[in-house]
Amino acid sequence: MKADSKIYVAGHNGLAGSAMLRNLNELGFKNIITKNHDELDLIDIEATSNFFKTEKPEYVFLAAAKVGGIHANNTYPADYFFQNISIQTNVIHNSYLNDVKRLLFLGSSCIYPKDSKQPIKEEYLFSGPLEKTNSPFAVAKLSGIAMCSSYNRQYNTKYLGAMSTNLYGPGDNYDLENGHVMAALIRKFSEAKKNNATTVSLWGSGNPRREFLYSDDLAKACIFLMTLSNEKFDSLLQNNLGSKSYPIINIGTGEDISIKDLSLLIAKISGYKGKVFFDKTKPDGVLRKLLNVDMLHDLGWSSKTVISEGVEKVLKNFNA
Ligand code: GDP
């Protein structure tokens, strides 16, 4: 990927895509294509096909997806399945038809079995049943991995799946019903502090552990992967994971924290001094999903933003 390579960032208004765009710009990439949703709906087969034929991108960052927290995934399973399958199928197939040189397909740690050994290695893919609360999303993403793998095998394409852990950062979805835990806690504690509230109510038991990656770190990792030498990139595509070969790599920090400890951290940084109540009628989801990031570390990349620093940044951004 060179400074003047034509790069398409799909989903550039989202948490991950906006960080990719920001970081590509900062690094001096000058020929980046983006389309707002009203200009191009990636669910529309014909519109996506026309876009690729006209623009002919050389590199694609596929960060467009329908994403949401545990409640949204549990409530709108059909939307999560249909929209993700459609977007990725259209983008990956048209990338193949239009000779895209490299594609990075963004996935998530929820593709792994719910009872995976921890930390989760790439090779644990397909080794057991999925977590129920988000399995339609996970199956869609697994299909995207299978699609990348199939096109690589049959057409010699170079499509890599980057499996990200839980993300947070500026521009997150702060909707309390549909967002993820980090954004929800940032909002709940900020507003409680501002309103002098005495109780903040959180979901589940507080026992589940999650790994949180700052969105700019994810973006840096993705650009690092897309700019690897041919030899290194090709070796990732041929990852021999267990008995099958899937072109994926985990992106995370290698550290997790319980939701309870996360709430204490955000309460402290936001200056909230009241009580925290855990509503056990709400689901916990998987107990733990910590990614093993040895493969990424061995290539020479590791995340830089520690969680306290990241929380401070997003709190500032939320309150701005
Ligand atoms: P998950 O990682 O796919 O399970 O999705 P989330 O990021 O939505 O939730 C992670 C964990 O945080 C789950 O155990 C939730 O029950 C817990 N949690 C606690 N309070 C909240 C909240 O206010 N919103 C969300 N989304 N999750 C919460």
Side-chain angles (χ1 to χ4, degrees):
M1 228 167 62
K2 303 198 189 82
D4 61 349
S5 299
K6 201 163 191 185
I7 301 167
Y8 172 42
V9 179
H12 73 287
N13 287 318
L15 177 60
S18 61
M20 289 174 184
L21 184 60
R22 197 160 53 238
N23 281 269
L24 284 165
N25 279 326
E26 273 169 22
L27 288 166
F29 290 95
K30 291 185 174 46
N31 197 0
I32 304 170
I33 323 163
T34 56
K35 290 281 174 199
N36 287 329
H37 195 263
D38 55 358
E39 300 171 300
L40 172 62
D41 180 359
L42 293 170
I43 289 175
D44 183 330
I45 298 177
E46 211 180 315
T48 310
S49 160
N50 289 337
F51 163 76
F52 272 85
K53 273 190 218 152
T54 311
E55 293 290 349
K56 293 273 179 198
E58 296 169 89
Y59 295 88
V60 172
F61 287 82
L62 177 41
K66 175 151 181 80
V67 296
I70 191 166
H71 174 74
N73 268 275
N74 221 2
T75 313
Y76 310 107
D79 295 353
Y80 278 83
F81 187 82
F82 172 72
Q83 293 186 30
N84 285 301
I85 281 276
S86 302
I87 292 168
Q88 68 203 32
T89 302
N90 289 338
V91 173
I92 295 171
H93 187 63
N94 282 292
S95 294
Y96 153 64
L97 291 178
N98 292 280
D99 302 318
V100 162
K101 291 179 184 160
R102 286 184 184 180
L103 175 145
L104 184 135
F105 171 59
L106 192 63
S108 122
S109 56
C110 68
I111 56 158
Y112 291 108
K114 65 175 183 211
D115 297 321
S116 273
K117 267 188 291 177
Q118 309 282 323
I120 309 171
K121 290 186 177 171
E122 288 86 348
E123 67 192 53
Y124 301 163
L125 198 72
F126 293 123
S127 62
L130 297 166
E131 156 63 26
K132 263 212 186 89
T133 48
N134 56 20
S135 62
F137 175 81
V139 170
K141 288 288 178 187
L142 286 165
S143 303
I145 295 170
M147 190 166 179
C148 290
S149 166
S150 307
Y151 280 60
N152 290 350
R153 280 172 52 207
Q154 187 173 339
Y155 299 127
N156 210 16
T157 52
K158 306 211 178 275
Y159 303 160
L160 176 68
M163 299 302 121
S164 167
T165 191
N166 293 45
L167 273 188
Y168 70 106
D172 207 340
N173 172 11
Y174 290 100
D175 184 285
L176 290 180
E177 285 285 296
N178 297 322
H180 283 102
V181 62
M182 180 67 97
L185 268 57
I186 294 284
R187 178 168 172 184
K188 286 180 178 177
F189 284 107
S190 290
E191 292 183 347
K193 165 76 183 159
K194 210 167 14 183
N195 303 331
N196 290 320
T198 50
T199 310
V200 163
S201 178
L202 304 183
W203 299 351
S205 63
N207 295 326
R209 300 181 70 83
R210 293 290 184 271
E211 177 188 8
F212 294 99
L213 179 67
Y214 195 65
S215 59
D216 281 303
D217 284 348
L218 170 82
K220 288 183 172 73
C222 291
I223 297 166
F224 169 81
L225 291 168
M226 284 289 263
T227 50
L228 281 174
S229 67
N230 284 334
E231 192 191 341
K232 285 188 176 163
F233 196 81
D234 289 354
S235 75
L236 285 178
L237 302 183
Q238 275 132 40
N239 271 338
N240 194 15
L241 306 171
S243 57
K244 297 194 181 72
S245 173
Y246 290 104
I248 59 166
I249 182 163
N250 290 341
I251 305 185
T253 63
E255 283 172 29
D256 62 3
I257 180 171
S258 72
I259 300 302
K260 191 171 196 174
D261 286 346
L262 178 70
S263 72
L264 295 175
L265 179 73
I266 300 178
K268 187 167 155 222
I269 298 177
S270 64
Y272 170 78
K273 297 208 168 57
K275 288 202 175 85
V276 176
F277 168 76
F278 281 96
D279 176 358
K280 296 200 180 65
T281 65
K282 296 282 200 305
D284 267 345
V286 282
L287 208 51
R288 204 172 179 207
K289 46 176 170 179
L290 175 64
L291 292 177
N292 177 307
V293 283
D294 287 353
M295 206 182 266
L296 192 57
H297 286 179
D298 289 349
L299 283 167
W301 192 92
S302 55
S303 71
K304 297 283 175 293
T305 312
V306 293
I307 192 161
S308 52
E309 182 195 336
V311 165
E312 251 176 71
K313 282 194 206 172
V314 283
L315 266 170
K316 248 191 218 144
N317 186 270
F318 179 79
N319 289 316

